[in-house]
Short mmCIF file of all heavy atoms in Angstrom, two decimals:
data_model
loop_
_atom_site.label_atom_id
_atom_site.label_comp_id
_atom_site.label_asym_id
_atom_site.label_seq_id
_atom_site.Cartn_x
_atom_site.Cartn_y
_atom_site.Cartn_z
N ARG B 322 114.91 87.81 107.75
CA ARG B 322 114.95 88.57 106.49
C ARG B 322 113.63 88.41 105.73
O ARG B 322 113.12 89.39 105.20
CB ARG B 322 116.12 88.08 105.64
CG ARG B 322 116.17 88.76 104.28
CD ARG B 322 117.41 88.38 103.49
NE ARG B 322 117.35 88.93 102.15
CZ ARG B 322 117.60 90.19 101.82
NH1 ARG B 322 117.92 91.05 102.78
NH2 ARG B 322 117.57 90.60 100.58
N GLY B 323 113.11 87.19 105.69
CA GLY B 323 111.84 86.99 104.98
C GLY B 323 110.70 87.76 105.63
O GLY B 323 109.84 88.30 104.92
N LEU B 324 110.70 87.82 106.96
CA LEU B 324 109.65 88.56 107.64
C LEU B 324 109.78 90.06 107.36
O LEU B 324 108.76 90.75 107.20
CB LEU B 324 109.72 88.27 109.15
CG LEU B 324 108.60 88.87 110.01
CD1 LEU B 324 107.25 88.41 109.53
CD2 LEU B 324 108.83 88.52 111.47
N GLU B 325 111.01 90.58 107.34
CA GLU B 325 111.21 91.98 107.03
C GLU B 325 110.75 92.29 105.61
O GLU B 325 110.13 93.33 105.37
CB GLU B 325 112.67 92.35 107.22
CG GLU B 325 113.15 92.34 108.66
CD GLU B 325 112.42 93.37 109.53
OE1 GLU B 325 112.03 94.42 108.97
OE2 GLU B 325 112.25 93.13 110.72
N LEU B 326 111.07 91.44 104.66
CA LEU B 326 110.63 91.64 103.29
C LEU B 326 109.12 91.58 103.18
O LEU B 326 108.49 92.33 102.40
CB LEU B 326 111.26 90.60 102.36
CG LEU B 326 112.77 90.71 102.15
CD1 LEU B 326 113.28 89.56 101.28
CD2 LEU B 326 113.14 92.04 101.50
N LEU B 327 108.51 90.73 103.98
CA LEU B 327 107.03 90.62 103.98
C LEU B 327 106.43 91.93 104.50
O LEU B 327 105.40 92.40 103.96
CB LEU B 327 106.62 89.45 104.85
CG LEU B 327 105.19 88.91 104.68
CD1 LEU B 327 104.96 88.44 103.25
CD2 LEU B 327 104.92 87.79 105.67
N LYS B 328 107.01 92.50 105.52
CA LYS B 328 106.51 93.77 106.05
C LYS B 328 106.70 94.89 105.03
O LYS B 328 105.82 95.75 104.87
CB LYS B 328 107.23 94.11 107.36
CG LYS B 328 106.92 93.16 108.50
CD LYS B 328 107.68 93.53 109.75
CE LYS B 328 107.36 92.58 110.92
NZ LYS B 328 108.12 92.92 112.14
N VAL B 329 107.83 94.87 104.34
CA VAL B 329 108.08 95.88 103.32
C VAL B 329 107.03 95.78 102.20
O VAL B 329 106.48 96.79 101.74
CB VAL B 329 109.51 95.77 102.75
CG1 VAL B 329 109.68 96.66 101.54
CG2 VAL B 329 110.51 96.12 103.81
N ARG B 330 106.76 94.56 101.76
CA ARG B 330 105.76 94.37 100.70
C ARG B 330 104.39 94.78 101.18
O ARG B 330 103.60 95.33 100.41
CB ARG B 330 105.77 92.92 100.25
CG ARG B 330 104.91 92.67 99.01
CD ARG B 330 105.06 91.24 98.50
NE ARG B 330 106.42 91.00 98.02
CZ ARG B 330 106.85 91.32 96.83
NH1 ARG B 330 106.04 91.94 95.97
NH2 ARG B 330 108.08 91.06 96.46
N SER B 331 104.07 94.51 102.43
CA SER B 331 102.76 94.90 102.98
C SER B 331 102.61 96.42 102.97
O SER B 331 101.55 96.95 102.62
CB SER B 331 102.58 94.34 104.40
OG SER B 331 102.63 92.94 104.41
N ARG B 332 103.67 97.11 103.40
CA ARG B 332 103.61 98.57 103.36
C ARG B 332 103.51 99.11 101.93
O ARG B 332 102.85 100.13 101.68
CB ARG B 332 104.84 99.16 104.07
CG ARG B 332 104.84 98.91 105.56
CD ARG B 332 105.90 99.76 106.26
NE ARG B 332 107.25 99.39 105.88
CZ ARG B 332 107.99 98.48 106.54
NH1 ARG B 332 107.51 97.88 107.61
NH2 ARG B 332 109.21 98.19 106.14
N ASP B 333 104.16 98.41 101.00
CA ASP B 333 104.07 98.83 99.60
C ASP B 333 102.66 98.67 99.08
O ASP B 333 102.16 99.54 98.35
CB ASP B 333 105.05 98.02 98.76
CG ASP B 333 105.05 98.43 97.30
OD1 ASP B 333 105.49 99.54 96.96
OD2 ASP B 333 104.54 97.63 96.48
N VAL B 334 102.00 97.58 99.41
CA VAL B 334 100.60 97.37 99.00
C VAL B 334 99.73 98.46 99.59
O VAL B 334 98.83 99.03 98.92
CB VAL B 334 100.10 95.98 99.42
CG1 VAL B 334 98.62 95.85 99.20
CG2 VAL B 334 100.85 94.89 98.66
N LEU B 335 99.95 98.77 100.86
CA LEU B 335 99.15 99.85 101.50
C LEU B 335 99.36 101.18 100.81
O LEU B 335 98.43 101.97 100.63
CB LEU B 335 99.53 99.93 102.97
CG LEU B 335 98.77 100.96 103.81
CD1 LEU B 335 97.29 100.65 103.81
CD2 LEU B 335 99.29 100.99 105.24
N GLU B 336 100.61 101.46 100.41
CA GLU B 336 100.89 102.73 99.72
C GLU B 336 100.20 102.77 98.36
O GLU B 336 99.66 103.83 97.97
CB GLU B 336 102.40 102.86 99.52
CG GLU B 336 102.87 104.20 98.98
CD GLU B 336 102.94 104.23 97.47
OE1 GLU B 336 103.10 103.14 96.89
OE2 GLU B 336 102.82 105.33 96.89
N HIS B 337 100.12 101.64 97.66
CA HIS B 337 99.39 101.62 96.39
C HIS B 337 97.89 101.87 96.60
O HIS B 337 97.25 102.56 95.81
CB HIS B 337 99.61 100.26 95.72
CG HIS B 337 100.96 100.13 95.09
ND1 HIS B 337 101.26 99.20 94.12
CD2 HIS B 337 102.13 100.80 95.30
CE1 HIS B 337 102.51 99.32 93.74
NE2 HIS B 337 103.08 100.29 94.47
N ILE B 338 97.37 101.28 97.65
CA ILE B 338 95.93 101.51 97.95
C ILE B 338 95.68 102.96 98.27
O ILE B 338 94.68 103.56 97.85
CB ILE B 338 95.48 100.59 99.11
CG1 ILE B 338 95.57 99.12 98.69
CG2 ILE B 338 94.06 100.93 99.53
CD1 ILE B 338 95.24 98.16 99.80
N GLU B 339 96.58 103.58 99.02
CA GLU B 339 96.40 105.00 99.34
C GLU B 339 96.48 105.87 98.09
O GLU B 339 95.80 106.90 97.99
CB GLU B 339 97.46 105.42 100.36
CG GLU B 339 97.24 104.81 101.74
CD GLU B 339 98.34 105.17 102.71
OE1 GLU B 339 99.39 105.69 102.23
OE2 GLU B 339 98.17 104.92 103.91
N ARG B 340 97.31 105.47 97.12
CA ARG B 340 97.34 106.19 95.84
C ARG B 340 95.99 106.09 95.13
O ARG B 340 95.50 107.07 94.57
CB ARG B 340 98.44 105.62 94.97
CG ARG B 340 99.85 106.04 95.38
CD ARG B 340 100.90 105.27 94.62
NE ARG B 340 100.71 105.40 93.17
CZ ARG B 340 101.31 104.64 92.28
NH1 ARG B 340 102.14 103.68 92.68
NH2 ARG B 340 101.10 104.83 90.99
N VAL B 341 95.39 104.90 95.19
CA VAL B 341 94.07 104.73 94.55
C VAL B 341 93.03 105.58 95.27
O VAL B 341 92.20 106.24 94.63
CB VAL B 341 93.68 103.25 94.57
CG1 VAL B 341 92.24 103.06 94.07
CG2 VAL B 341 94.62 102.41 93.71
N VAL B 342 93.06 105.59 96.59
CA VAL B 342 92.12 106.42 97.36
C VAL B 342 92.28 107.87 97.01
O VAL B 342 91.30 108.61 96.79
CB VAL B 342 92.31 106.16 98.89
CG1 VAL B 342 91.48 107.15 99.69
CG2 VAL B 342 91.94 104.73 99.25
N HIS B 343 93.51 108.33 96.96
CA HIS B 343 93.79 109.73 96.62
C HIS B 343 93.27 110.06 95.22
O HIS B 343 92.66 111.12 94.99
CB HIS B 343 95.29 110.02 96.72
CG HIS B 343 95.67 111.37 96.25
ND1 HIS B 343 95.40 112.53 96.97
CD2 HIS B 343 96.30 111.81 95.10
CE1 HIS B 343 95.85 113.59 96.33
NE2 HIS B 343 96.40 113.18 95.19
N HIS B 344 93.49 109.17 94.28
CA HIS B 344 93.04 109.42 92.89
C HIS B 344 91.53 109.43 92.80
O HIS B 344 90.97 110.31 92.12
CB HIS B 344 93.64 108.35 91.99
CG HIS B 344 93.31 108.58 90.55
ND1 HIS B 344 92.37 107.83 89.87
CD2 HIS B 344 93.79 109.46 89.63
CE1 HIS B 344 92.29 108.24 88.62
NE2 HIS B 344 93.14 109.22 88.44
N VAL B 345 90.87 108.49 93.45
CA VAL B 345 89.40 108.46 93.39
C VAL B 345 88.82 109.73 94.03
O VAL B 345 87.86 110.33 93.48
CB VAL B 345 88.88 107.21 94.12
CG1 VAL B 345 87.36 107.28 94.28
CG2 VAL B 345 89.25 105.95 93.32
N ARG B 346 89.36 110.15 95.13
CA ARG B 346 88.85 111.37 95.78
C ARG B 346 89.13 112.59 94.92
O ARG B 346 88.29 113.51 94.86
CB ARG B 346 89.46 111.53 97.15
CG ARG B 346 88.98 110.51 98.14
CD ARG B 346 89.59 110.66 99.51
NE ARG B 346 89.00 109.70 100.46
CZ ARG B 346 89.42 109.55 101.72
NH1 ARG B 346 90.42 110.31 102.18
NH2 ARG B 346 88.85 108.67 102.49
N ARG B 347 90.25 112.62 94.25
CA ARG B 347 90.55 113.76 93.37
C ARG B 347 89.59 113.80 92.19
O ARG B 347 89.13 114.87 91.78
CB ARG B 347 91.98 113.66 92.86
CG ARG B 347 92.42 114.85 92.01
CD ARG B 347 93.91 114.85 91.78
NE ARG B 347 94.33 113.65 91.08
CZ ARG B 347 94.29 113.52 89.75
NH1 ARG B 347 93.82 114.50 89.01
NH2 ARG B 347 94.70 112.40 89.18
N LEU B 348 89.22 112.62 91.67
CA LEU B 348 88.21 112.59 90.60
C LEU B 348 86.87 113.06 91.09
O LEU B 348 86.13 113.76 90.37
CB LEU B 348 88.13 111.17 90.03
CG LEU B 348 89.35 110.68 89.22
CD1 LEU B 348 89.13 109.23 88.76
CD2 LEU B 348 89.61 111.56 88.02
N GLU B 349 86.49 112.66 92.31
CA GLU B 349 85.25 113.14 92.88
C GLU B 349 85.25 114.65 93.01
O GLU B 349 84.28 115.33 92.67
CB GLU B 349 85.02 112.51 94.26
CG GLU B 349 84.55 111.09 94.25
CD GLU B 349 84.15 110.62 95.63
OE1 GLU B 349 85.08 110.31 96.42
OE2 GLU B 349 82.96 110.58 95.96
#
């Protein structure tokens, strides 16, 4: 269970980074 939660959190962090990338490119 802890490993699955760790994977979920990792994917969530990646999704936040992709939001930042999308926003920066939109500003460009």
Side-chain angles (χ1 to χ4, degrees):
R322 176 174 173 78
L324 186 58
E325 291 297 329
L326 291 177
L327 197 61
K328 293 179 180 179
V329 170
R330 188 174 295 278
S331 299
R332 291 193 294 268
D333 181 69
V334 171
L335 182 61
E336 188 270 335
H337 284 200
I338 295 175
E339 290 176 348
R340 285 170 55 193
V341 173
V342 172
H343 174 73
H344 183 255
V345 170
R346 289 180 176 175
R347 184 168 60 84
L348 290 178
E349 282 189 282

